[in-house]
Amino acid sequence: MTRMRIAGGLLAVATLTAATACTASDQPAHAKTPTAAVTSKHPTETLKPLLQQALPNVKGKTFTSVIVDFPPNAHATPHRHGKAFVYAYVLEGTMRSKLAGKPVHTYRQGENWVERPGAHHVLTENTSRTERAKLLVVYVSNTGDKLKVDDPRS
């Protein structure tokens, strides 16, 4: 069952990649996104880069995939993904998410969502106090742009 869900998520990623057509680079570069290190009263997420590849037919665009691991009770700092189109697939656990102007939504293993360029992600949290949650996140971004920019602290 889990393999079917992962296969479905990977098929969606492949479809997204084909639909956006991919920026030119002959060799894939592994993603160099740093692990999140935000001080808060809750644990925060960590990122494991999988692949970063310039899209061959879309000048100035890059495809990046990462696994985002949320320990129990972890919250991400409110953030944006710049001008990136974002696809998220829940590999395990349950996540609660809210984009500005949209209702809170709970996503379980096998479910997914997209974020339009410029979206403000005001809530991202693992709903469990005892179990991890993991996401496969795919970005189609402008080459060189930061993939996550946390809100400035007030």
Side-chain angles (χ1 to χ4, degrees), residues 47 63 65 72 74 104 124 126 128 139-141 145:
L47 287 90
F63 171 96
S65 60
V104 173
T124 314
N126 179 350
S128 176
Y139 307 87
V140 177
S141 63
D145 281 1

Side-chain angles (χ1 to χ4, degrees), residues 9 42-44 46 48 51 59 66 68 70 75 77 81-82 89 94 114-115 121 123 127 132 137 139 142 146 151:
H42 294 282
T44 189
T46 57
K48 177 184 175 186
L51 175 72
K59 186 175 181 172
V66 299
V68 185
F70 286 83
H75 296 217
T77 301
H81 298 289
Y89 178 84
T94 303
V114 296
E115 297 177 27
H121 209 149
L123 172 69
T127 62
R132 303 188 90 70
V137 180
Y139 307 87
N142 292 331
K146 286 187 175 185
D151 288 355

